[in-house]
């Protein structure tokens, strides 16, 4: 029977030859494999340590780069924010200046319009007084006939003056439309204003009314424009329409004054009945 406690080459037997016979036995391979394994372990330990060092270095550089970029972005954001606040403050200042300027213009326009309305009322009173005087003179016989003749003489001037005023009204409408237009150039409007001033100076029908200063006042102060969708040019302007009515009254009053001057100077003779 086989000895189960001593199967052939199953159990490791003690070295019968001692240290001297070990070189010819299989145990020598254990020492041969130990050296590469130790070298591999050492290499792995070194590689792991170097890898950890590299990882720490890259991580530190990454954190540094992120911190630098963050600082630069924060600085740029602060600069942009400061510039934006400065721009907003400047715009608010300009807006307040424009509001004050518009407010001052509106107050001046209201005051000027009220002044013109008062003058118009005064002209209405003068016209009524002249009408009453005309009626009185008509009833007085010869003087009434003289006044009637004088008014007939001035009828031609009156019609020419009203026609010139009507033409001037059309020119002012076109000028105001050019002022309100976002397409027409400023130079074109200035040329219109120049032509209007030349007309009132050279046209004898309205030259004696001295409209130049009134027109310059319109060019300077009348900034009223209808809404952008407006197609009616006559809805533009505000002060110019007050002046036009004022000029009509001026022409009517001037007609009677010219007639009275003609009678006073003896150009119109009164003939008793």
């Amino acid at each position: 029977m086989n000895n189960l406690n001593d199967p052939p080459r199953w159990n490791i037997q003690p070295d019968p030859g001692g240290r001297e016979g070990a070189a010819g036995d299989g145990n020598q391979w254990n020492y041969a494999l130990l050296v590469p394994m130790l070298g591999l372990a050492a290499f792995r330990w070194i590689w792991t340590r170097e890898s950890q060092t590299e990882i720490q270095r890259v991580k530190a550089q990454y954190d540094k780069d992120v911190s630098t970029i963050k600082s630069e972005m924060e600085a740029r954001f602060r600069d942009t924010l400061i510039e934006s606040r400065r721009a907003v403050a400047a715009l608010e200042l300009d807006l307040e200046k424009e509001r004050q300027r518009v407010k001052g213009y509106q107050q001046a326009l209201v005051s000027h319009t009220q002044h013109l309305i008062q003058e118009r009322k005064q002209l209405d009173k003068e016209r009524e007084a002249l009408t009453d005087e005309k009626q009185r003179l008509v009833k007085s016989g010869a003087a009434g006939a003289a006044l009637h003749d004088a008014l007939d003489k001035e009828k031609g001037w009156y019609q020419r003056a009203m026609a010139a005023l009507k033409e001037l009204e059309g020119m002012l409408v076109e000028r105001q439309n050019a002022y309100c237009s976002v397409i027409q150039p400023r130079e074109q409007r200035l040329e219109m204003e120049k032509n209007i001033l030349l007309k009132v100076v050279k046209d004898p029908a309205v030259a004696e009314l001295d409209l130049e200063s009134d027109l310059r006042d319109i060019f300077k102060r009348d900034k009223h424009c209808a809404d952008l969708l407006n197609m009616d040019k006559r809805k533009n302007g505000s002060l110019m329409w007050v002046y036009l009515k004022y000029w009509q009254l001026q022409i009517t009053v001037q007609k009677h004054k010219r007639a009275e001057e003609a009678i006073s100077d003896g150009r119109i003779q009164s003939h008793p009945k």
Side-chain angles (χ1 to χ4, degrees):
M1 295 180 64
N2 294 329
N3 184 5
L4 296 177
N5 293 322
D6 188 18
R9 304 186 64 84
W10 283 14
N11 295 327
I12 300 175
Q13 301 294 328
D15 185 4
R19 301 294 293 178
E20 291 79 2
D25 196 86
N27 289 332
Q28 60 183 333
W29 293 103
N30 293 333
Y31 297 100
L33 292 176
L34 181 61
V35 173
M37 291 179 66
L38 290 174
L40 180 61
F43 173 77
R44 183 177 180 182
W45 178 79
I46 294 172
W47 179 82
T48 302
R49 185 176 180 182
E50 291 294 328
S51 297
Q52 291 294 329
T53 303
E54 182 66 18
I55 290 172
Q56 292 296 327
R57 186 187 67 79
V58 172
K59 183 178 179 181
Q61 184 64 37
Y62 172 78
D63 292 339
K64 181 180 179 181
D65 293 343
V66 170
S67 178
T68 302
I69 294 173
K70 183 179 179 181
S71 299
E72 291 178 354
M73 291 183 67
E74 289 178 350
R76 290 179 183 177
F77 175 77
R78 286 194 299 270
D79 293 341
T80 303
L81 185 61
I82 291 172
E83 290 297 326
S84 298
R85 288 176 177 175
R86 288 177 179 173
V88 170
L91 288 175
E92 289 178 349
L93 182 60
D94 292 341
L95 180 60
E96 184 61 27
K97 289 181 179 178
E98 286 297 317
R99 286 175 179 170
Q100 294 299 326
R101 187 180 67 82
V102 171
K103 184 178 180 180
Y105 161 73
Q106 290 176 342
Q107 292 175 347
L109 181 60
V110 169
S111 177
H112 195 71
T113 302
Q114 290 176 348
H115 177 69
L116 287 176
I117 291 174
Q118 292 299 325
E119 289 189 357
R120 180 183 174 185
K121 290 180 179 179
Q122 183 63 30
L123 286 174
D124 285 339
K125 291 180 180 179
E126 292 182 6
R127 183 177 62 178
E128 291 176 359
L130 287 172
T131 302
D132 294 341
E133 183 66 15
K134 175 184 175 181
Q135 295 297 328
R136 187 184 66 80
L137 290 174
V138 167
K139 293 178 181 179
S140 66
L147 178 60
H148 182 73
D149 292 341
L151 289 174
D152 283 341
K153 293 287 185 180
E154 300 300 329
K155 186 175 182 180
W157 173 85
Y158 175 80
Q159 291 176 344
R160 290 192 301 272
M162 293 300 290
L165 188 60
K166 190 67 177 177
E167 183 180 355
L168 180 60
E169 176 183 330
M171 296 175 71
L172 284 173
V173 169
E174 291 299 328
R175 178 266 170 193
Q176 195 68 18
N177 182 64
Y179 173 82
C180 296
S181 175
V182 296
I183 300 175
Q184 291 182 272
R186 179 174 180 270
E187 290 74 14
Q188 185 175 354
R189 172 174 60 83
L190 294 178
E191 185 66 23
M192 289 180 178
E193 294 176 357
K194 180 180 178 182
N195 293 334
I196 292 173
L197 291 173
L198 287 175
K199 174 178 175 56
V200 298
V201 172
K202 294 183 177 181
D203 192 339
V206 293
E208 61 185 86
L209 296 177
D210 191 22
L211 304 182
E212 183 178 356
S213 60
D214 294 345
L215 287 170
R216 293 188 183 277
D217 192 41
I218 291 174
F219 299 156
K220 180 180 179 181
R221 297 179 181 275
D222 198 341
K223 304 181 184 298
H224 175 75
C225 297
D227 58 81
L228 294 176
L229 299 179
N230 173 55
M231 301 299 292
D232 186 359
K233 298 179 181 179
R234 299 179 66 84
K235 289 185 178 180
N236 294 323
S238 175
L239 185 60
M240 56 177 275
W241 297 109
V242 178
Y243 266 116
L244 283 167
K245 292 179 180 179
Y246 171 69
W247 295 336
Q248 289 176 359
L249 292 175
Q250 267 191 311
I251 292 174
T252 302
V253 172
Q254 190 68 18
K255 175 185 175 182
H256 287 80
K257 286 184 176 180
R258 288 167 64 95
E260 290 178 356
E261 289 175 358
I263 295 174
S264 300
D265 295 343
R267 285 176 285 151
I268 302 294
Q269 299 294 329
S270 59
H271 301 286
K273 292 183 178 180

